[in-house]
Amino acid sequence: MTSAGGLTRSKRYALYLACGLEAMSYGAVYALLVPLQRRYHIPTWGLGAIAGGTFLAQLVAQLTLAPFADRGHSRLMLRAGAAVAAVGIIWFGLGDSLWQLVLARVVLGFGSGIFIPAALRVVITAAGERQGRAIGYLT
């Protein structure tokens, strides 16, 4: 079954799942900040750097790269963004110093900033008349 934009139901659900996993990987660190601080003796300002680095990288990536999703590069952006975010997640899991954790989160934020605009573009294009509903499902 294909929707108006050519996005099958299974691909649409895979995209929703990928967005959910991306959001969980982005937000899960907030629950881990205190245990990370205790284990690695991270100063309080370091916790802000870990959390803020992701936000800033995602903001920069979205502001600079989102127009490419509208220019027909959504598929490449989905793949590249997911790959870059995965590198950031793995690096964060393996990191054991403040600079590694901050840079890993920056990489995750950059990948997320590439992935999210492309996912929105794909969903909006495929939704036809039901764009609001599709964005609601995505978020």
Side-chain angles (χ1 to χ4, degrees), residues 4-137:
L7 193 63
T8 64
R9 182 177 293 186
S10 62
K11 287 182 181 180
R12 190 170 60 240
Y13 289 148
L15 187 59
Y16 292 155
L17 178 64
C19 287
L21 289 172
E22 185 277 329
M24 285 187 285
S25 68
Y26 185 92
V29 74
Y30 299 115
L32 301 173
L33 286 177
V34 172
L36 284 171
Q37 184 178 30
R38 290 181 183 150
R39 181 172 180 163
Y40 297 114
H41 308 289
I42 296 172
T44 304
W45 65 265
L47 300 179
I50 290 171
T54 310
F55 171 76
L56 288 175
Q58 185 177 27
L59 178 68
V60 168
Q62 285 189 13
L63 290 175
T64 58
L65 300 175
F68 291 104
D70 292 330
R71 295 181 189 141
H73 302 286
S74 294
R75 181 176 286 187
L76 174 63
M77 290 176 67
L78 286 171
R79 290 180 179 156
V84 170
V87 167
I89 293 165
I90 293 168
W91 187 4
F92 188 82
L94 298 174
D96 61 358
S97 65
L98 177 59
W99 73 268
Q100 289 178 341
L101 297 175
V102 171
L103 285 179
R105 291 289 292 179
V106 167
V107 170
L108 169 61
F110 193 74
S112 182
I114 296 169
F115 182 84
I116 290 173
L120 285 167
R121 174 66 177 168
V122 168
V123 167
I124 289 170
T125 302
E129 296 290 322
R130 297 180 172 211
Q131 293 174 354
R133 183 177 184 175
I135 292 172
Y137 281 143

